[in-house]
Amino acid sequence: MTISVTETITEQDQQQLLAGLGDYNRQFIESALWGKIGVFKRDGQGKQLAGLIASKKGNWLCIDFLWVSDSLRASGVGTDLMYAAEQHARIKGCRYALVDTFSFQALPFYQKNGYQLQMSLDNFPSDGQQRHYLKKTL
């Protein structure tokens, strides 16, 4: 038995680890309540102008990624994406939402949309920056 350290993680390495973790977690968590949610804004030619990707984890909507192109920032599109994801999550049984953001990203945006700051990590990812975790009751 050996322990190895690498900075190159293969697809097989990740799949094996996630399979083992999933086998363990299924003892405690109903995996049918998990899944992905995508909400996208596209132009007439199908080019993505904004998008949100989230994970549904039991009672929780976990917002993984939110991006709005520079041309649409401050237009309300980000709020529209959030609202659509939250509505879909409610229909699927979610009661809460979780998002994290860096200090140079969108903390005021999330707060404006009803998310409450739960915790901040100082000097993450770099000195002088923070990572903020926010929650909302749906």
Side-chain angles (χ1 to χ4, degrees), residues 32-91:
L33 301 175
W34 289 48
K36 293 285 193 181
I37 297 172
V39 183
F40 304 100
K41 171 89 172 164
R42 300 181 193 278
D43 67 12
Q45 290 73 45
K47 180 182 176 189
Q48 191 177 127
L49 302 174
L52 180 151
I53 295 176
S55 303
K56 190 173 74 68
K57 297 178 180 178
N59 294 331
W60 287 82
L61 169 69
C62 301
I63 298 165
D64 300 315
F65 306 103
L66 173 63
W67 167 75
V68 177
S69 63
D70 289 340
S71 64
L72 290 178
R73 292 225 169 117
S75 71
V77 169
T79 296
D80 292 345
L81 295 174
M82 296 285 292
Y83 181 77
E86 291 168 0
Q87 287 298 100
H88 183 82
R90 277 187 197 97
I91 291 167

Side-chain angles (χ1 to χ4, degrees), residues 2-6:
T2 63
I3 293 178
S4 62
V5 177
T6 183

